[in-house]
Amino acid sequence: MKKQILFLLCLLTVLPTAAQQQKKYISQVWVSDQGDGTYRNPVLYADYSDPDACRVGDDFYMTSSSFNCLPGLQILHSKDLVNWSIIGAAIPYALSPVETPERPEHGNRVWAPSIRHHNGEFYIFWGDPDQGAFMVKASKPEGPWSEPVLVKSGKGIIDTCPLWDEDGRVYMVHAYAGSRAGLKSVIAVCELNAEATKAITPSRIVFDGHEAHQTCEGPKFYKRGEYYYIFHPAGGVPTGWQVVLRSKNVYGPYEWKTVLAQGNTPVNGPHQGAWVDTPTGENWFLHFQDVGAYGRLVHLQPMKWTNGWPVIGTDKDGDGCGEPVLNYKKPDVGKTYPVCTPQESDEFDGFTLSPQWQWHANINEKWAYYAGDQSIVRLYSYPVTKEYKNLWDVANLLLQKTPAPNFTATMKLTFEPTAKYKGERTGLVVMGLDYAGLILENTDRGLTLSQIECKKADKGNPEQSNATIDLKEPTVYLKARFSTSSDKIKSSEGGHDQIVLCNFSYSLNGKKYHNFGNTFQVKEGKWIGAKVGMFCTRPAINTNDGGWVNVDWFHIGK
């Protein structure tokens, strides 16, 4: 009888209850849904860069650029385009080619995806600027997803999107990255085979934006009535606008119209995203806004069709080009759904990686132990490369997106370094082109805690320590407080980048926190916003084992 009871208790520790499975996360720091039938922008105050979305029945699904971060192509789900949850990732472990040792491919790999549903299957296309256009598919958005297929090889092929025509033919629109292709500001179309696994024609340039729409990129392909439509941004990431092309022939000639621009609003560069409709027949457009340190935030705009052209946002002067809304009536989807937001805080009571987290490179199975029965994640120390200069070179950074203009990130950890050697490190890090953090290290004098920062980490500069203390106990609470100024960085492109400051503190008992070190100005990463999280490293030595850190919890709060 005791064995049976023990067996049932074990099951209860492993299997989530129905309530746990159905419970939705609600952020303490940013909620778009105002609870009165309206919403505020951005609907996602987080770096879901280059978003694309589709509707299947009553459900909306979104994905976004993930670049070097794994799991890649995170999948978000919504019932009303305002309240979103992360439900999985289309690239759970690694991107080819897999190299050893693991290295972050900063700013490379997964650029500007598109997500579509056709004949009962979900498809995601994206461009890898160094390899070409890739595709994965799945019968369910949660996965499992197929292994990536190289649909069209070629350097500089980016921002890919498929279109299934009524006659059964399949096309793909894409742009070119000037850094790899030697050409940009043009949009091209090619034909794919019926399975959408291979290009069967060369690409044909169908639009040249050099004169009127420089840096045109990020195209999305649609068909409405007798017209083919290509929605694309132009004018640069922080300063651009949204253009729509239309033609009755898939290869053009295309006429164009600017349909969304900043106008007199504070929403700079409103562009690159997804047109979706609701079950009730409304039209909406998701796009991003680049704000600098926090990356590219997702906005939702009303959209209507006038004389065969979309008008996005509010068109106050009637010229056919709208401006972004800051607050608006929620989409009419026929029902009202509960408030929810993408997951942030983590108690580490699961047995797999929670969906808000991403490593900074292809995942090594030896990096972590998800001990849900102990409500911890254990990060094992992993050797840095022989060429190591700073954390920019480290793959096993476990990070998540910043979720609001003002918030705190707090974690409780217990560091258990090996007694065999010195130099293992762990802690809380705020990662970008510049980074800072609270770092525990096993030194000749014992455990130390330092507040460190590294300016121009991508250039190989060393870290500097702003403050250091000795630790008598291995358990410590680390906190980073983020705050956004109303001022902007005038020297940034367009002068739109926010000034985001971060202050650090620590506690030995989880109650009284001590300010520590210097104020840090947060900096974005390579094509991504700053991220916050943890790591555990050892020196670049050959050894048969090492230490670890047990992280009890990680909380995002006010």
Side-chain angles (χ1 to χ4, degrees):
M1 184 68 179
K2 288 183 179 179
K3 288 184 178 179
Q4 290 176 323
I5 293 173
L6 181 61
F7 176 71
L8 288 172
L9 288 172
C10 289
L11 276 180
L12 289 173
T13 63
V14 174
L15 298 175
T17 66
Q20 289 173 325
Q21 289 175 322
Q22 294 172 6
K23 187 177 181 181
K24 295 292 187 179
Y25 183 86
I26 301 177
S27 173
Q28 297 179 18
V29 294
W30 188 265
V31 176
S32 174
D33 193 325
Q34 298 299 282
D36 59 0
T38 68
Y39 71 94
R40 63 172 173 169
N41 271 318
V43 288
L44 296 173
Y45 206 108
D47 183 45
Y48 291 98
S49 175
D50 315 317
D52 193 46
C54 68
R55 177 177 65 86
V56 181
D58 295 333
D59 298 281
F60 299 92
Y61 301 98
M62 181 196 300
T63 191
S64 61
S65 297
S66 49
F67 299 102
N68 55 287
C69 304
L70 276 295
L73 291 171
Q74 291 169 307
I75 309 295
L76 288 84
H77 169 256
S78 177
K79 284 287 192 178
D80 59 9
L81 293 170
V82 172
N83 296 286
W84 294 89
S85 295
I86 311 169
I87 61 170
I91 306 171
Y93 308 117
L95 284 161
S96 180
V98 176
E99 298 179 357
T100 303
E102 303 82 4
R103 298 175 187 271
E105 292 274 347
H106 295 284
N108 297 335
R109 299 297 186 135
V110 178
W111 284 24
S114 59
I115 182 168
R116 294 291 181 267
H117 187 260
H118 176 72
N119 278 354
E121 290 191 297
F122 290 87
Y123 292 77
I124 296 178
F125 280 68
W126 75 92
D128 180 318
D130 297 303
Q131 298 186 73
F134 284 89
M135 180 272 288
V136 291
K137 64 180 182 177
S139 59
K140 298 186 298 181
E142 300 88 351
W145 290 79
S146 66
E147 289 295 315
V149 173
L150 183 59
V151 176
K152 180 178 172 66
S153 65
K155 280 190 173 293
I157 297 173
I158 57 168
D159 304 357
T160 57
C161 181
L163 173 71
W164 283 265
D165 213 343
E166 290 97 334
D167 61 5
R169 299 174 77 172
V170 188
Y171 301 96
M172 183 178 75
V173 67
H174 66 86
Y176 289 103
S179 58
R180 273 73 158 189
L183 174 69
K184 66 173 187 175
S185 299
V186 297
I187 305 296
V189 172
C190 66
E191 188 172 353
L192 308 182
N193 62 2
E195 295 77 24
T197 57
K198 186 176 181 60
I200 59 175
T201 69
S203 293
R204 187 188 306 182
I205 294 173
V206 299
F207 179 74
D208 188 326
H210 281 97
E211 286 82 11
H213 298 294
Q214 321 79 327
T215 320
C216 60
E217 56 187 356
K220 302 292 170 58
F221 223 167
Y222 306 98
K223 193 172 187 184
R224 180 178 183 269
E226 58 184 349
Y227 281 103
Y228 297 91
Y229 289 89
I230 299 174
F231 287 47
H232 70 79
V237 170
T239 55
W241 52 89
Q242 183 69 30
V243 180
V244 169
L245 313 178
R246 77 174 187 182
S247 175
K248 293 183 179 180
N249 187 298
V250 70
Y251 291 109
Y254 281 89
E255 52 185 331
W256 63 264
K257 190 175 182 65
T258 301
V259 298
L260 176 67
Q262 178 176 354
N264 295 316
T265 75
V267 184
N268 58 289
H271 67 349
Q272 188 159 342
W275 162 39
V276 289
D277 62 0
T278 68
T280 61
E282 291 184 347
N283 294 279
W284 294 84
F285 185 72
L286 291 154
H287 68 88
F288 73 74
Q289 174 196 13
D290 190 321
V291 297
Y294 285 153
R296 302 175 184 182
L297 316 179
V298 180
H299 291 242
L300 177 66
Q301 303 297 337
M303 178 178 140
K304 63 181 180 180
W305 288 90
T306 303
N307 298 323
W309 291 100
V311 180
I312 300 174
T314 55
D315 182 13
K316 296 178 181 178
D317 58 8
D319 66 352
C321 179
E323 295 182 1
V325 301
L326 297 179
N327 300 86
Y328 206 76
K329 182 177 67 174
K330 287 173 58 180
D332 178 6
V333 293
K335 297 179 182 179
T336 300
Y337 291 96
V339 172
C340 66
T341 61
Q343 299 89 317
E344 300 160 354
S345 297
D346 201 341
E347 302 298 327
F348 301 113
D349 52 7
F351 292 85
T352 57
L353 184 66
S354 299
Q356 64 268 40
W357 295 103
Q358 294 174 299
W359 299 97
H360 233 34
N362 284 337
I363 299 173
N364 187 315
E365 59 196 20
K366 296 178 290 185
W367 285 345
Y369 167 43
Y370 307 104
D373 54 333
Q374 302 174 54
S375 194
I376 62 167
V377 59
R378 174 172 292 182
L379 304 184
Y380 299 106
S381 75
Y382 194 73
V384 299
T385 62
K386 292 180 179 180
E387 301 80 19
Y388 172 85
K389 295 182 176 64
N390 58 53
L391 289 178
W392 187 260
D393 303 318
V394 170
N396 61 320
L397 305 181
L398 184 57
L399 308 172
Q400 64 172 272
K401 305 176 194 302
T402 53
N406 305 292
F407 68 97
T408 60
T410 311
M411 63 185 291
K412 179 186 177 184
L413 63 83
T414 301
F415 189 26
E416 301 287 349
T418 183
K420 296 179 182 178
Y421 51 85
K422 307 301 180 183
E424 288 183 308
R425 303 204 309 163
T426 188
L428 174 69
V429 63
V430 179
M431 194 67 198
L433 296 167
D434 301 343
Y435 71 82
L438 295 171
I439 308 300
L440 283 76
E441 184 172 355
N442 184 27
T443 71
D444 290 331
R445 72 187 202 202
L447 285 184
T448 63
L449 172 66
S450 299
Q451 192 274 303
I452 59 93
E453 68 177 284
C454 184
K455 297 290 182 68
K456 297 183 178 179
D458 58 315
K459 305 300 183 185
N461 290 343
E463 292 176 1
Q464 70 176 48
S465 175
N466 296 323
T468 300
I469 60 168
D470 295 330
L471 288 178
K472 295 181 180 179
E473 300 294 333
T475 298
V476 66
Y477 303 77
L478 307 178
K479 179 179 291 187
R481 181 176 298 277
F482 294 76
S483 57
T484 301
S485 167
S486 59
D487 296 326
K488 302 292 177 68
I489 301 175
K490 294 180 181 179
S491 61
S492 63
E493 185 180 354
H496 300 295
D497 285 5
Q498 296 172 337
I499 296 176
V500 179
L501 302 178
C502 182
N503 290 283
F504 295 95
S505 59
Y506 72 93
S507 174
L508 300 178
N509 59 13
K511 298 176 182 178
K512 183 178 180 180
Y513 281 83
H514 307 276
N515 294 330
F516 197 48
N518 297 346
T519 298
F520 170 66
Q521 184 167 327
V522 180
K523 184 78 171 177
E524 68 273 11
K526 183 68 172 178
W527 306 131
I528 64 175
K531 302 183 80 169
V532 60
M534 62 196 79
F535 72 98
C536 191
T537 60
R538 68 176 74 157
I541 57 177
N542 292 321
T543 179
N544 69 353
D545 205 357
W548 57 81
V549 60
N550 291 335
V551 182
D552 284 69
W553 45 257
F554 187 96
H555 292 166
I556 297 293
K558 295 181 178 179

